[in-house]
Each structure stands twice: as C-alpha cells, then as structure tokens.
Amino acid sequence: MLRKLFITCLVFLSLSLQSFASLSASINDAIDNTGLGRNSVISVVVKDLNTNETLYSKHPNTYLNPASSLKVFTTAAALDTLGDKYHFETIIYIDTDKNLYLKLGADPLFTSANLDELIKTLKKVYTGKIKHFYIDDTVIDKVYYPDGWAADDFWPNSPKISPYIIDDNTVTVNFSVLKEKNDIKISQKDDYKISFINELQISDKTNITPSLNYGENSGIVSLRGTISGDLNKEFPVLDTAQFFTYKLRKALDNNGISYSKPFYQKRVPENAKRIASYRRPIGAVLSHVLKTSDNFAAEVIFKLAGGIWAKNENEYIKNAYQADLTLNSAGTLENGRKMFFDYYKKAGLISEDDKINLSDASGVSRYNAFTTCWMADVLAYLDKNSKIKDYMITADEGTLTRRMRELKGSLRAKTGTIFGVSSLTGYLTSNSGKNYAFSIIIQNFGVRPSVVKGLEDDIIYGIYFAE
C-alpha cells in the first residue's frame, strides 16, 4: 500500500515538473522571440490557484509601475469597505422648515437624464414652494487631481475630480471647417458654454492644443494648432459646481418646478427626511471602471470608500460629522490610501518591510510602485475572498477588444498602459482546466506598444496551452 502511494506521488510530482517546465519554456520562448528582454524590464509571476504555488517568476520582486492594472487592487479594497450591495445614491431631503437638500452621492456615472429622473420623483412627492435649495457636497473633497499626475494628465485630458459629477463633467464642442471661406466654426449644443479664443489654422492634419492662458478662473480657453476637417471634441468643464447647478436648474425648469434663488452649500441636518433618490448599484460602476479603465471614476470611488472607511474606523471623525456641520469631507485620497493598506495588512499581504507606493487609485501616477509577486499573491487572495473578479473583463471585451478572442470566457484580466509601461494582470483557466493568477509588467520599452501587447498575449497563450 505504501509502495503504491509512493509511486502515485512520484507520478504526480513528475507530471507537475513537466507542466512547470512546459509553462516556463513557453513564457521564456515568448520573451526571447521579441528581444524585449535586452532593453526592457520584464516582470512576470504565474501562480497555481489550487496549490498557491508560484509556477513561474521573472524579476518578481522588482518594483515597477503597474499602470491601470492597479485598478483591480484599489477597487477591491473599496469593494470590501462599501460591500457588494452598496448603491451610489443621490438623495433629496427636506427639513422641518421646508428647505430642500440635494446630497451628492459621488456616482461617477451620473447623467442629466438621471438628474431629470430624480427631479421627476421630487415633483411627485413635493408640490410646495421651495424656500431654499441647498447642496451637500461633502461626500468627497474638492482636490481635482491626485499627487504624481503629470501636467499632461491635467485638463484638458482629464475631467476634474469633484463631488459635483454629471455627464462625465464634459461638454461636446463641434468644429466645422469652412474651406471655401478659409474659416473654422465652433458650436456647442449644450447651453452651458465654454468661451474660446480661436487661433486654429486649417491644415491637412489635426493637432489642437487648448490652454488656459488667462487663468482657470477666467473661463476662457485658447485654441492653437491645426485642424483638417469637421470633428466633435470633448472638453472638461472648468467649474464643476457651476456646471452641475446649471444642470440642476435646467432639470427643475423642465419639470415645472420654480426656483430662482442660488444653490448654497450646506450639510444635510440630522432631522431632515429623505423624499427622493436616484440609486445605482456598485456592480454597474465597478464593471464600467474595469471594462473602460475610467481613471476619473476609479479616483471618485476610492475617495468615497476612503471617507466611509475613515468614519467607520475613527470615532473622533464619526462624532465630528454629527456635531460639526462645517467639517470638511473625509472622502479624500489619503483616507483611501489608509483604507487600502489596512485592507491588505489585515489580509497578511503587506508587511512593514514592503516598499509599495500608492499615489492614486487609477494607475496614472508615475509614483506608483508594486511588484508582480505582490500582485499575483493578492490575486490569489482575492480569488477566495472578494467578488472583484466578477467585474473584470474577459478576452475581446473592453480594453481587451480584438485581443485573445479564443480565450473568451477563460480569461479575466485588467490591462494597463501609460507611456513606457504596459501591464496585464488577472485570472486564466487553462486548456486543461487549471486555474492560474498572473501578473505581467513590461517597462522602459522602446518599441511600438503593439509589440509589447503582443508579448503579453503570447505569455497568456503559453500559460493556457502549457501541460
């Protein structure tokens, strides 16, 4: 009996070693075939989710920038705080003096149509004259951009991160080239207008450079460069509060609710009663973030969850929120960071010796530093202790569109791309039914991004077909 068991163990060990050798050879061949290893840093870790064994590693402990792959880990921490039953709620309250309060809910997908629906609900339950209409904007802070974002990431490339969120905080501007008159017409369908100084020239190429030459508070945008033909271009609004209140007043007018006074900021009092709300499930938001790699939404969710974590963890903050109506929001990036490290420390995945650096929630910052070893270990933990995997994209979907179509349904992953950095991290069920977690970061490459993405795909195929 013992001899039979010993032989069985030897056979199993032999097959495991063969599988390990096959997987390693496939990944090494993929890397060698591109030649990227000579001039780039390539870090790869593959773990068997059944045994928790690391089957392949290359530069596993080198601290690199994960780019947008970071979103998996920041949203997982936020999901732990918020819970999978959480709903982003934009709520209208009424106090004993018949004042209305609109409490912003940090819903990153909130639109004009959602606001109109909310006001329609208000009209059904409240028909009196509005004394004052306040806005409680304390859900997150008003720090527009995280630490470590480069100047190129600021306006006009990224909407301002703010508690005032509607229609992605952007407006569409139409450019029409009138070649017979050698003129360029700028039009805006939205009644909320951005003022432009048009210095564009007609050319065979389009290269528009917007700038705030007169200062952000002027609300005037200078347009320089060239334009070759008609196009629509999105521009982030300069004043998010003004944009939101404009949309709010328009929604009230469209629904026949008269209110001509200003919208002042004030926290909802404790005795106020909720009378209308618009709700969005967290799953819809997380799926959007991980499918489209929406930096704006990722930062908003992280701040929101950080604020809720801080109030749950800190008795002083909790009491202060009840006693001081002028207290600033706890929904900050710093509280999001504290939530992040608390979550992974409690899971035993971060120690005092780790040199992990987290500067934002979306992976845009150049200051972020993680190892593929840490990322793969966390994926193995999340596989058993989180539902974040349910919101990750599969092959030929979202940012993986037209990639690895044959692996649709077998792959759950998150991509990452910033200049000079490409990453891919997630889960894979192989051709033989084995389950893996993997993390790939390729940094400092001097070739076309398509070559790097091709290497990532080859590595995944190597894992998938390894026996």
Side-chain angles (χ1 to χ4, degrees), residues 78 81-82 86-89 104-108 139-141 282 298-311 329-333 336 339:
T81 294
L82 299 173
Y86 183 84
H87 282 73
F88 293 81
E89 282 195 285
L104 304 178
D107 178 353
V139 62
I140 61 173
D141 67 12
I282 190 172
E299 299 295 342
V300 169
I301 296 167
F302 198 63
K303 284 187 175 186
L304 168 70
I308 292 174
W309 175 87
K311 283 185 278 186
S329 174
T332 65
L333 179 59
M339 170 194 70

Side-chain angles (χ1 to χ4, degrees), residues 305-336:
I308 292 174
W309 175 87
K311 283 185 278 186
N312 290 340
E313 293 290 319
N314 192 317
E315 196 66 30
Y316 168 76
I317 290 179
K318 193 188 305 181
N319 292 335
Y321 262 75
Q322 295 172 354
D324 184 357
L325 298 183
T326 64
L327 186 70
N328 290 330
S329 174
T332 65
L333 179 59
E334 183 56 34
N335 280 334

Side-chain angles (χ1 to χ4, degrees), residues 80-133:
D80 179 72
T81 294
L82 299 173
D84 60 356
K85 304 298 183 184
Y86 183 84
H87 282 73
F88 293 81
E89 282 195 285
T90 306
I91 309 170
I92 298 177
Y93 292 85
I94 187 170
D95 68 12
T96 54
D97 294 325
K98 304 300 181 183
N99 296 308
L100 297 183
Y101 298 79
L102 176 60
K103 183 169 179 58
L104 304 178
D107 178 353
L109 307 185
F110 197 68
T111 66
S112 294
N114 302 152
L115 181 58
D116 188 68
E117 186 176 334
L118 176 62
I119 299 304
K120 276 183 169 65
T121 304
L122 171 66
K123 189 175 182 179
K124 291 177 183 178
V125 297
Y126 181 76
T127 57
K129 184 178 180 181
I130 301 174
K131 186 176 179 181
H132 293 291
F133 204 143

Side-chain angles (χ1 to χ4, degrees), residues 83 101 133 173 258 341 372 409 426:
Y101 298 79
F133 204 143
V173 179
S258 177
F341 284 100
T372 53

